[in-house]
Amino acid sequence: LNGGFYLQNISFTKDGEAVSDFGEYSITPDDDWAKYMSGWMVKFNNWFTSSGISAYAVEDGDIIEVLYTCTMGADIGNDFSNASAQFTSLDVSAGDLTPAFSKDVKAYTLTVAEDVDAVKLGYEMENYGSAVTVSSGDTTYRYMRAIPVENGTVITLKSVFTAYDNTTYEPYTADETEITITVVKPEPATPEEPTEPAEEGKDSILDNIRGIWN
């Protein structure tokens, strides 16, 4: 793997004892059902890459999954023959997303309450080999990180699937898509100006004075 090392095995324990036999779905070296195109793959913040696990500079909150494949990734969401950068769902930690998610819709409105100052975005992909960049303004955010929001904030999700030419092995963009989410927050209510109460009997006194002089 580029820039990393090959993961040969993972040790599992149960009640403090090492586990080497997983029964019908065992993935120990003695098994004969997982051979060609099988092995371990790393999913980092909802993304499979060709980099080894040692290439990742981790931060608090990162999600790292080490998954076993029997079909070179196709059985765990990374089908190299399906060059897709399409989103299949969007999830928000707060507010209402309109319209409802559809693969054909690329612009959404997220209506949040006045006291919401940040949101987190989750998403599912047709192919997790596609790299997703989440940004707002000039700042990018990792998967499921808090994004500060105010009225009018625009969040952009850009997904790019990179493939490699079979002859030159040069990378090229095989598919890409972009989604924008505009945040709407209600304006704070403007307090009404207090009105001065009428002085009791003032009008009737003035009327009496006018009556006397007339």
Side-chain angles (χ1 to χ4, degrees), residues 1 3 7 21 23 31 33 44 69-70 74 92 122 141 152 161 181 196 201 212:
L1 295 180
L7 178 64
D21 186 1
D31 293 325
W33 63 276
F44 180 73
T69 177
C70 297
V92 293
Y141 298 88
F161 189 95
I181 300 173
E196 295 184 4
I212 295 174

Side-chain angles (χ1 to χ4, degrees), residues 59-79:
E59 296 180 1
D60 186 31
D62 285 337
I63 300 173
I64 302 174
E65 300 173 75
V66 182
L67 305 173
Y68 194 83
T69 177
C70 297
T71 55
M72 203 173 177
D75 54 344
I76 55 175
N78 185 24
D79 187 353

Side-chain angles (χ1 to χ4, degrees), residues 48-105:
F48 286 109
T49 81
S50 60
S51 298
I53 195 170
S54 62
Y56 298 115
V58 298
E59 296 180 1
D60 186 31
D62 285 337
I63 300 173
I64 302 174
E65 300 173 75
V66 182
L67 305 173
Y68 194 83
T69 177
C70 297
T71 55
M72 203 173 177
D75 54 344
I76 55 175
N78 185 24
D79 187 353
F80 291 99
S81 65
N82 178 26
S84 172
Q86 302 304 308
F87 295 86
T88 57
S89 73
L90 283 176
D91 297 304
V92 293
S93 61
D96 297 314
L97 193 68
T98 55
F101 176 81
S102 169
K103 291 175 64 174
D104 298 325
V105 177

Side-chain angles (χ1 to χ4, degrees), residues 163-186:
Y164 293 85
D165 185 273
N166 290 331
T167 303
T168 65
Y169 301 105
E170 291 295 322
Y172 66 94
T173 299
D175 190 29
E176 62 182 326
T177 188
E178 185 172 292
I179 290 175
T180 59
I181 300 173
T182 303
V183 177
V184 175
K185 298 179 71 171

